[in-house]
PDB file of all heavy atoms in Angstrom:
ATOM      1  N   ILE A 136       8.214   9.444  -2.163  1.00 96.00           N
ATOM      2  CA  ILE A 136       9.040   9.910  -3.281  1.00 96.00           C
ATOM      3  C   ILE A 136       8.054  10.556  -4.340  1.00 96.00           C
ATOM      4  O   ILE A 136       8.458  11.623  -4.909  1.00 96.00           O
ATOM      5  CB  ILE A 136       9.739   8.728  -3.978  1.00 96.00           C
ATOM      6  CG1 ILE A 136      10.911   8.236  -3.091  1.00 96.00           C
ATOM      7  CG2 ILE A 136      10.293   9.045  -5.357  1.00 96.00           C
ATOM      8  CD1 ILE A 136      11.493   6.900  -3.541  1.00 96.00           C
ATOM      9  N   ALA A 137       6.886  10.023  -4.572  1.00 94.00           N
ATOM     10  CA  ALA A 137       6.122  10.628  -5.543  1.00 94.00           C
ATOM     11  C   ALA A 137       5.552  11.987  -5.068  1.00 94.00           C
ATOM     12  O   ALA A 137       5.420  13.003  -5.894  1.00 94.00           O
ATOM     13  CB  ALA A 137       4.732   9.763  -5.752  1.00 94.00           C
ATOM     14  N   GLU A 138       5.345  12.180  -3.719  1.00 93.00           N
ATOM     15  CA  GLU A 138       4.988  13.476  -3.209  1.00 93.00           C
ATOM     16  C   GLU A 138       6.159  14.490  -3.380  1.00 93.00           C
ATOM     17  O   GLU A 138       5.916  15.607  -3.763  1.00 93.00           O
ATOM     18  CB  GLU A 138       4.583  13.218  -1.785  1.00 93.00           C
ATOM     19  CG  GLU A 138       3.264  12.500  -1.632  1.00 93.00           C
ATOM     20  CD  GLU A 138       2.968  12.168  -0.110  1.00 93.00           C
ATOM     21  OE1 GLU A 138       3.828  12.523   0.724  1.00 93.00           O
ATOM     22  OE2 GLU A 138       1.943  11.518   0.118  1.00 93.00           O
ATOM     23  N   ARG A 139       7.241  14.003  -2.922  1.00 95.00           N
ATOM     24  CA  ARG A 139       8.490  14.920  -3.028  1.00 95.00           C
ATOM     25  C   ARG A 139       8.843  15.250  -4.498  1.00 95.00           C
ATOM     26  O   ARG A 139       9.590  16.397  -4.687  1.00 95.00           O
ATOM     27  CB  ARG A 139       9.682  14.235  -2.368  1.00 95.00           C
ATOM     28  CG  ARG A 139       9.457  13.864  -0.951  1.00 95.00           C
ATOM     29  CD  ARG A 139       9.564  15.054   0.081  1.00 95.00           C
ATOM     30  NE  ARG A 139       9.212  14.741   1.393  1.00 95.00           N
ATOM     31  CZ  ARG A 139      10.031  14.111   2.255  1.00 95.00           C
ATOM     32  NH1 ARG A 139      11.197  13.772   1.893  1.00 95.00           N
ATOM     33  NH2 ARG A 139       9.595  13.898   3.430  1.00 95.00           N
ATOM     34  N   ALA A 140       8.570  14.417  -5.430  1.00 94.00           N
ATOM     35  CA  ALA A 140       8.890  14.763  -6.817  1.00 94.00           C
ATOM     36  C   ALA A 140       8.277  16.104  -7.283  1.00 94.00           C
ATOM     37  O   ALA A 140       8.837  16.800  -8.122  1.00 94.00           O
ATOM     38  CB  ALA A 140       8.363  13.678  -7.737  1.00 94.00           C
ATOM     39  N   ALA A 141       7.155  16.465  -6.666  1.00 90.00           N
ATOM     40  CA  ALA A 141       6.569  17.717  -7.036  1.00 90.00           C
ATOM     41  C   ALA A 141       6.972  18.942  -6.182  1.00 90.00           C
ATOM     42  O   ALA A 141       6.547  20.020  -6.439  1.00 90.00           O
ATOM     43  CB  ALA A 141       5.039  17.522  -6.918  1.00 90.00           C
ATOM     44  N   ALA A 142       7.877  18.768  -5.342  1.00 93.00           N
ATOM     45  CA  ALA A 142       8.456  19.792  -4.440  1.00 93.00           C
ATOM     46  C   ALA A 142       9.428  20.620  -5.128  1.00 93.00           C
ATOM     47  O   ALA A 142       9.859  20.366  -6.267  1.00 93.00           O
ATOM     48  CB  ALA A 142       9.017  19.184  -3.186  1.00 93.00           C
ATOM     49  N   ASP A 143       9.820  21.724  -4.494  1.00 92.00           N
ATOM     50  CA  ASP A 143      10.781  22.604  -4.987  1.00 92.00           C
ATOM     51  C   ASP A 143      12.169  21.963  -4.969  1.00 92.00           C
ATOM     52  O   ASP A 143      12.568  21.545  -3.819  1.00 92.00           O
ATOM     53  CB  ASP A 143      10.812  23.909  -4.195  1.00 92.00           C
ATOM     54  CG  ASP A 143      11.802  24.991  -4.705  1.00 92.00           C
ATOM     55  OD1 ASP A 143      12.704  24.650  -5.501  1.00 92.00           O
ATOM     56  OD2 ASP A 143      11.759  26.207  -4.444  1.00 92.00           O
ATOM     57  N   PRO A 144      12.919  21.674  -6.057  1.00 92.00           N
ATOM     58  CA  PRO A 144      14.187  21.064  -6.052  1.00 92.00           C
ATOM     59  C   PRO A 144      15.198  21.741  -5.107  1.00 92.00           C
ATOM     60  O   PRO A 144      16.075  21.006  -4.611  1.00 92.00           O
ATOM     61  CB  PRO A 144      14.690  21.231  -7.479  1.00 92.00           C
ATOM     62  CG  PRO A 144      13.348  21.234  -8.277  1.00 92.00           C
ATOM     63  CD  PRO A 144      12.451  22.111  -7.470  1.00 92.00           C
ATOM     64  N   SER A 145      14.996  23.054  -4.833  1.00 89.00           N
ATOM     65  CA  SER A 145      15.975  23.653  -3.808  1.00 89.00           C
ATOM     66  C   SER A 145      15.719  23.256  -2.507  1.00 89.00           C
ATOM     67  O   SER A 145      16.452  23.499  -1.576  1.00 89.00           O
ATOM     68  CB  SER A 145      15.874  25.172  -4.110  1.00 89.00           C
ATOM     69  OG  SER A 145      14.639  25.673  -3.673  1.00 89.00           O
ATOM     70  N   GLU A 146      14.540  22.654  -2.229  1.00 91.00           N
ATOM     71  CA  GLU A 146      14.155  22.353  -0.859  1.00 91.00           C
ATOM     72  C   GLU A 146      14.093  20.783  -0.576  1.00 91.00           C
ATOM     73  O   GLU A 146      13.963  20.400   0.467  1.00 91.00           O
ATOM     74  CB  GLU A 146      12.811  22.931  -0.504  1.00 91.00           C
ATOM     75  CG  GLU A 146      12.806  24.513  -0.535  1.00 91.00           C
ATOM     76  CD  GLU A 146      11.368  25.103  -0.209  1.00 91.00           C
ATOM     77  OE1 GLU A 146      10.536  24.326  -0.003  1.00 91.00           O
ATOM     78  OE2 GLU A 146      11.366  26.344  -0.152  1.00 91.00           O
ATOM     79  N   SER A 147      14.164  19.927  -1.677  1.00 94.00           N
ATOM     80  CA  SER A 147      14.035  18.553  -1.535  1.00 94.00           C
ATOM     81  C   SER A 147      15.067  17.896  -2.337  1.00 94.00           C
ATOM     82  O   SER A 147      15.232  17.997  -3.547  1.00 94.00           O
ATOM     83  CB  SER A 147      12.683  18.149  -2.099  1.00 94.00           C
ATOM     84  OG  SER A 147      12.580  16.690  -2.255  1.00 94.00           O
ATOM     85  N   TRP A 148      15.933  17.006  -1.635  1.00 93.00           N
ATOM     86  CA  TRP A 148      16.911  16.243  -2.386  1.00 93.00           C
ATOM     87  C   TRP A 148      16.214  15.276  -3.430  1.00 93.00           C
ATOM     88  O   TRP A 148      16.823  15.208  -4.487  1.00 93.00           O
ATOM     89  CB  TRP A 148      17.747  15.319  -1.368  1.00 93.00           C
ATOM     90  CG  TRP A 148      18.420  14.198  -1.956  1.00 93.00           C
ATOM     91  CD1 TRP A 148      18.226  12.957  -1.828  1.00 93.00           C
ATOM     92  CD2 TRP A 148      19.648  14.406  -2.837  1.00 93.00           C
ATOM     93  NE1 TRP A 148      19.254  12.274  -2.563  1.00 93.00           N
ATOM     94  CE2 TRP A 148      20.019  13.107  -3.132  1.00 93.00           C
ATOM     95  CE3 TRP A 148      20.244  15.545  -3.345  1.00 93.00           C
ATOM     96  CZ2 TRP A 148      21.046  12.858  -4.018  1.00 93.00           C
ATOM     97  CZ3 TRP A 148      21.411  15.266  -4.201  1.00 93.00           C
ATOM     98  CH2 TRP A 148      21.815  13.957  -4.479  1.00 93.00           C
ATOM     99  N   THR A 149      15.070  14.657  -3.035  1.00 96.00           N
ATOM    100  CA  THR A 149      14.410  13.768  -3.937  1.00 96.00           C
ATOM    101  C   THR A 149      13.978  14.573  -5.239  1.00 96.00           C
ATOM    102  O   THR A 149      14.199  14.080  -6.436  1.00 96.00           O
ATOM    103  CB  THR A 149      13.178  13.202  -3.314  1.00 96.00           C
ATOM    104  OG1 THR A 149      13.570  12.406  -2.151  1.00 96.00           O
ATOM    105  CG2 THR A 149      12.559  12.253  -4.251  1.00 96.00           C
ATOM    106  N   ALA A 150      13.398  15.668  -5.051  1.00 96.00           N
ATOM    107  CA  ALA A 150      13.003  16.474  -6.146  1.00 96.00           C
ATOM    108  C   ALA A 150      14.096  16.946  -7.065  1.00 96.00           C
ATOM    109  O   ALA A 150      14.132  16.890  -8.284  1.00 96.00           O
ATOM    110  CB  ALA A 150      12.216  17.741  -5.767  1.00 96.00           C
ATOM    111  N   ARG A 151      15.281  17.304  -6.413  1.00 95.00           N
ATOM    112  CA  ARG A 151      16.508  17.749  -7.158  1.00 95.00           C
ATOM    113  C   ARG A 151      17.075  16.511  -7.961  1.00 95.00           C
ATOM    114  O   ARG A 151      17.496  16.762  -9.097  1.00 95.00           O
ATOM    115  CB  ARG A 151      17.451  18.243  -6.172  1.00 95.00           C
ATOM    116  CG  ARG A 151      18.776  18.867  -6.679  1.00 95.00           C
ATOM    117  CD  ARG A 151      19.467  19.753  -5.854  1.00 95.00           C
ATOM    118  NE  ARG A 151      19.911  19.229  -4.682  1.00 95.00           N
ATOM    119  CZ  ARG A 151      19.430  19.373  -3.369  1.00 95.00           C
ATOM    120  NH1 ARG A 151      18.304  20.158  -3.294  1.00 95.00           N
ATOM    121  NH2 ARG A 151      19.946  18.649  -2.309  1.00 95.00           N
ATOM    122  N   LEU A 152      17.025  15.376  -7.302  1.00 95.00           N
ATOM    123  CA  LEU A 152      17.636  14.195  -7.959  1.00 95.00           C
ATOM    124  C   LEU A 152      16.722  13.917  -9.158  1.00 95.00           C
ATOM    125  O   LEU A 152      17.276  13.497 -10.318  1.00 95.00           O
ATOM    126  CB  LEU A 152      17.664  13.007  -6.995  1.00 95.00           C
ATOM    127  CG  LEU A 152      18.470  11.876  -7.365  1.00 95.00           C
ATOM    128  CD1 LEU A 152      19.932  12.118  -7.666  1.00 95.00           C
ATOM    129  CD2 LEU A 152      18.347  10.788  -6.253  1.00 95.00           C
ATOM    130  N   ILE A 153      15.445  13.950  -9.020  1.00 96.00           N
ATOM    131  CA  ILE A 153      14.520  13.524 -10.154  1.00 96.00           C
ATOM    132  C   ILE A 153      14.738  14.647 -11.292  1.00 96.00           C
ATOM    133  O   ILE A 153      14.664  14.206 -12.490  1.00 96.00           O
ATOM    134  CB  ILE A 153      13.088  13.375  -9.662  1.00 96.00           C
ATOM    135  CG1 ILE A 153      12.899  12.265  -8.709  1.00 96.00           C
ATOM    136  CG2 ILE A 153      12.119  13.328 -10.806  1.00 96.00           C
ATOM    137  CD1 ILE A 153      11.637  12.105  -8.050  1.00 96.00           C
TER     138      ILE A 153
END
Side-chain angles (χ1 to χ4, degrees):
I136 289 171
E138 293 169 358
R139 298 283 174 81
D143 185 343
S145 66
E146 299 178 356
S147 167
W148 163 250
T149 300
R151 184 159 63 252
L152 193 58
I153 291 174

